[in-house]
Amino acid sequence: MVTLPGLHLRQTHNLAMTPQLRLAIRLLQMTSAEIEALVEEELERNPFLVREATEEPVISAEPVGLPADEAVSAQEKASLDTSFAQEAAAGGFDDTYSEDGSPEDWRQRYSGEDHDVAAQVPSLPERLDEQLRLTSHFTRQQRLIGRSLIEHLDRAGRLDCPPGTIAEEIGVSVTAVENVRQSMMLFEPVGLFACSLRECLVAQLRARNRYDPAMALLLDNLDMVARKEYRALRQLCDVDETDFAEMISELHHLDPKPGFEALAANTSSRIADVFVQQDPDGQWSVRINENTLPRLYLDQGLLARARESSSASDRPFIRNQAHHASWLLRSIEQRTKTLLRVSLEIIKHQNDFLSSGPSFMLPLTMKTVATETGLHESTISRITTGKYIATPQGLFELKYFFTRKIGSIHLSKEHSSEAVKYKIQKMLSQETGAHILSDEEIVQNLRKEGIDIARRTVAKYRDALHIGNSVQRKREKAASA
């Protein structure tokens, strides 16, 4: 049999991925800081894109009691949502999902210039000022105090003068300055605005939930740590060699000068993208944080003048820039609406959490939210990545509300893993030195509440909460007695 060369025409189906559509998909996963960096880059290279100066709200609050179809119009539901089967067949969305379908961060897959949207790292004062501006519960006087505190930061990230000096400069009480300072010590990076090295380290340990009586004794004797008098320190802290080695290792991982690190690292700030508030009628309303939304518009006047006076060789550039600006505006608007839809659906399932706390959180999966909103699970995963929601219970990442279900003795009631963790933490915080609970006793107490859980699961949750075993806790209680 002789094989001869020839031409063959074959028709296939494939999903074409344009750069604009790829950008729109990436926008879903970007944080507000990354969106702002991308917008600044686009404003520099696109003459038809202009930042809006108005302060009018863009997205209004919607009551959770309303159905999702009423909260968002049918046209708004047309999101940038594509099933994973289509993505895998096209091979185009590999920036957020690996070949086996598992989520993958697009920031780790792209290193080219076009994808480095946050290449320009803002300075430490700029990032602190941004966090101060987006701290919604601060009054005008507290914001004034906060800006003065930022101005008095030295290169190490600590205050260059006592809080009393700052209070005299701006004419407020020392208590007011101290209250704002304590709140701003939680800003990223943690440990700024401290008055001493010990206070800086204590703030970082509290953020890691690793500050205990033994560690407090260690910080009280930092001069002995510098002289490496480890034997005397271990006896002073009343811990064994293993625990003492862990304490020294933990101390070495802290940053004594967070101001220096912040200048070189791109530290992300936890800024609320969504707010949840209770209306007078008892319903919960959800609204987008308007301060995180870029206010842009297409300059139609400049575009018309450019088209009239341009030559034939300039028209492709004008057309491409106008098209790209329009696509960016639509993509940002669609991202905002998708974020609102998903947040509404999450809050509808977690009403008990908002009113009663973490112990009343219900199990929730991305598949459930995807079914209710009509979106794909990959879209839910992208839009909840790095997005934070401010609730009466605190600031949480949207992914925090996705928890698996724990077995229940009573079939009519469900328990989420986060609710069980909270119960364990609360149970251990109330124990006394005379009675330290073992993991088996924790299991028995949880089963009395109808939670069917194994002892090894309790140990795993306890480790995740950075809580030691019964022997370690007994030693800590004895040291603090």
Side-chain angles (χ1 to χ4, degrees):
M1 181 178 179
V2 180
T3 302
L4 299 176
L7 297 176
H8 302 278
L9 182 64
R10 182 171 58 183
Q11 186 176 14
T12 60
H13 293 279
N14 198 6
L15 182 63
M17 289 296 299
T18 63
Q20 290 84 359
L21 184 56
R22 183 182 295 276
L23 172 63
I25 296 297
R26 283 174 48 206
L27 282 174
L28 290 176
Q29 194 165 347
M30 286 183 179
T31 63
S32 57
E34 292 166 344
I35 291 287
E36 183 64 25
L38 176 65
V39 166
E40 290 295 335
E41 181 181 332
E42 292 296 328
L43 287 172
E44 290 181 2
R45 65 185 182 186
N46 196 326
F48 306 114
L49 195 63
V50 182
R51 186 183 293 275
E52 199 172 289
T54 180
E55 294 296 333
E56 296 179 358
V58 178
I59 301 294
S60 60
E62 295 288 352
V64 176
L66 292 178
D69 292 341
E70 297 180 17
V72 185
S73 65
Q75 182 180 1
E76 294 170 353
K77 283 187 176 182
S79 66
L80 299 167
D81 184 42
T82 306
S83 68
F84 176 72
Q86 292 174 313
E87 297 176 6
F93 291 0
D94 57 350
D95 54 337
T96 50
Y97 274 77
S98 61
E99 295 178 358
D100 61 354
S102 59
E104 191 170 60
D105 195 340
W106 62 269
R107 303 170 188 85
Q108 300 177 2
R109 296 291 301 274
Y110 283 90
S111 58
E113 181 180 355
D114 293 339
H115 304 283
D116 190 12
V117 298
Q120 298 298 325
V121 180
S123 65
L124 175 61
E126 290 174 347
R127 292 205 304 278
L128 293 175
D129 189 72
E130 181 71 1
Q131 294 180 67
L132 177 64
R133 184 176 65 86
L134 295 176
T135 304
S136 58
H137 65 273
F138 273 3
T139 63
R140 293 183 62 182
Q141 184 189 63
Q142 289 175 320
R143 295 181 192 278
L144 177 63
I145 296 173
R147 292 189 180 93
S148 182
L149 288 171
I150 294 174
E151 292 175 357
H152 281 280
L153 279 181
D154 61 15
R155 295 187 62 187
R158 287 191 280 277
L159 293 180
D160 59 5
C161 64
T165 304
I166 299 176
E168 293 178 1
E169 288 180 355
I170 56 181
V172 297
S173 65
V174 179
T175 303
V177 174
E178 188 63 22
N179 290 337
V180 175
R181 187 178 75 90
Q182 293 295 331
S183 298
M184 294 181 67
M185 286 183 70
L186 300 177
F187 283 10
E188 296 290 342
V190 178
L192 298 173
F193 306 102
C195 295
S196 64
L197 174 60
R198 186 187 187 281
E199 190 177 28
C200 174
L201 299 180
V202 168
Q204 296 178 53
L205 287 170
R206 290 188 187 278
R208 300 184 182 193
N209 196 22
R210 297 302 298 265
Y211 186 67
D212 52 40
M215 188 63 78
L217 288 172
L218 185 65
L219 295 181
D220 288 338
N221 298 274
L222 288 176
D223 56 335
M224 297 177 66
V225 176
R227 294 193 299 267
K228 296 185 178 181
E229 299 176 0
Y230 291 154
R231 184 183 297 273
L233 272 174
R234 184 171 66 82
Q235 294 176 353
L236 183 64
C237 297
D238 191 24
V239 295
D240 56 27
E241 293 182 1
T242 303
D243 290 342
F244 185 76
E246 292 179 356
M247 292 169 61
I248 293 296
S249 176
E250 187 75 27
L251 188 63
H252 288 165
H253 282 82
L254 302 179
D255 186 4
K257 298 179 180 180
F260 281 136
E261 181 181 3
L263 293 175
N266 184 14
T267 307
S268 58
S269 304
R270 295 183 178 182
I271 300 173
D273 299 273
V274 185
F275 292 115
V276 179
Q277 294 177 336
Q278 192 169 26
D279 296 333
D281 58 359
Q283 288 186 332
W284 296 98
S285 61
V286 181
R287 64 181 179 87
I288 298 294
N289 185 358
E290 301 155 7
N291 293 324
T292 63
L293 297 178
R295 305 173 184 275
L296 308 171
Y297 69 93
L298 184 63
D299 193 338
Q300 298 289 351
L302 178 60
L303 179 60
R305 292 193 299 272
R307 286 172 175 171
E308 291 175 358
S309 59
S310 63
S311 60
S313 60
D314 295 334
R315 287 170 188 167
F317 170 80
I318 296 173
R319 182 171 58 253
N320 291 337
Q321 292 296 319
H323 176 70
H324 187 76
S326 299
W327 184 273
L328 179 63
L329 293 175
R330 289 196 300 269
S331 299
I332 293 177
E333 182 183 7
Q334 186 58 63
R335 171 189 177 274
T336 303
K337 293 173 181 177
T338 304
L339 177 61
L340 179 61
R341 289 179 60 194
V342 173
S343 301
L344 281 167
E345 193 59 38
I346 291 175
I347 295 306
K348 283 172 61 178
H349 285 82
Q350 302 294 355
N351 277 313
D352 293 340
F353 165 83
L354 296 175
S355 57
S356 304
S359 60
F360 290 86
M361 182 180 291
L362 297 178
L364 182 65
T365 62
M366 292 187 185
K367 184 177 181 180
T368 302
V369 176
T371 302
E372 296 294 332
T373 58
L375 304 174
H376 192 263
E377 287 183 57
S378 63
T379 303
I380 305 299
S381 177
R382 293 187 184 100
I383 200 61
T384 55
T385 299
K387 315 301 188 305
Y388 290 86
I389 181 170
T391 71
Q393 302 298 331
L395 183 67
F396 301 93
E397 188 179 10
L398 285 174
K399 274 187 166 55
Y400 170 79
F401 297 96
F402 297 120
T403 60
R404 68 184 188 90
K405 182 167 62 175
I406 299 295
S408 176
I409 298 176
H410 309 292
L411 299 179
S412 60
K413 189 173 182 180
E414 295 181 337
H415 304 277
S416 71
S417 58
E418 285 297 331
V420 174
K421 287 181 183 179
Y422 179 80
K423 290 178 182 293
I424 293 174
Q425 186 177 32
K426 185 177 180 181
M427 195 182 305
L428 296 181
S429 66
Q430 295 175 348
E431 64 183 1
T432 61
H435 184 203
I436 302 296
L437 297 174
S438 65
D439 290 347
E440 185 60 34
E441 289 176 315
I442 297 174
V443 169
Q444 297 303 324
N445 291 340
L446 291 175
R447 286 181 176 174
K448 291 178 183 179
E449 299 184 28
I451 302 173
D452 187 13
I453 190 171
R455 187 184 63 81
R456 63 179 179 273
T457 305
V458 169
K460 182 179 70 173
Y461 287 172
R462 179 174 49 73
D463 290 339
L465 294 169
H466 304 291
I467 299 176
N469 55 36
S470 58
V471 176
Q472 294 171 336
R473 299 199 308 277
K474 186 175 183 179
R475 186 183 299 117
E476 292 174 2
K477 295 289 185 181
S480 60

